[in-house]
Structures are given as C-alpha cells and as structure tokens.
Amino acid sequence: MCLAVPGQIIDIRDEQGTRMATIDFDGIRKDICLAYLPDIAIGDYAIVHVGFAIARVDEASALE
C-alpha cells in the first residue's frame, strides 16, 4: 500500500542544484524534493510521497 499526503509549500530553496521545499502537513513541517514539480510555488498545495512532491492539488482538495 502507498501513502500520499497533501501539504502546503511554505518555503522553496535550491540545494546543490536540486529544488527543495519545506511543506506543512497540518502543523508538521518536512523537507521535500520538488524535482517532479518544477513550477510549483510557495502557497501551493502538493501531494507528497516518500519525500517527493508528485502532484499539485487545489486547496479544497487538500483540505478535504
């Protein structure tokens, strides 16, 4: 079984050529890789699986 969780991007930075972000999962913050979503921006919501943002979602879907 796979688990993917939505969260909100709160910070984006470059780490040695890799685009990384801090994402907020309802109060829990984690570092994730943005390699699969190069055009995502601060404030956007993303589905995260195993430390990688794999899909952008709208706010309503993320909060549901």
Side-chain angles (χ1 to χ4, degrees), residues 5-12 21-30 32 34 40-48 57 59 62-63:
V5 182
Q8 186 176 27
I9 305 291
I10 58 171
D11 172 82
I12 295 176
T22 302
I23 193 164
D24 181 42
F25 300 106
D26 198 27
I28 298 171
R29 293 182 175 190
K30 298 285 184 180
I32 60 156
L34 299 177
I40 201 161
I42 293 172
D44 288 345
Y45 287 84
I47 298 292
V48 177
V57 293
E59 184 176 11
L63 297 176

Side-chain angles (χ1 to χ4, degrees), residues 30-58:
K30 298 285 184 180
D31 291 329
I32 60 156
C33 180
L34 299 177
Y36 299 134
L37 298 175
D39 60 341
I40 201 161
I42 293 172
D44 288 345
Y45 287 84
I47 298 292
V48 177
H49 177 66
V50 197
F52 287 85
I54 59 172
R56 181 188 335 240
V57 293
D58 60 52

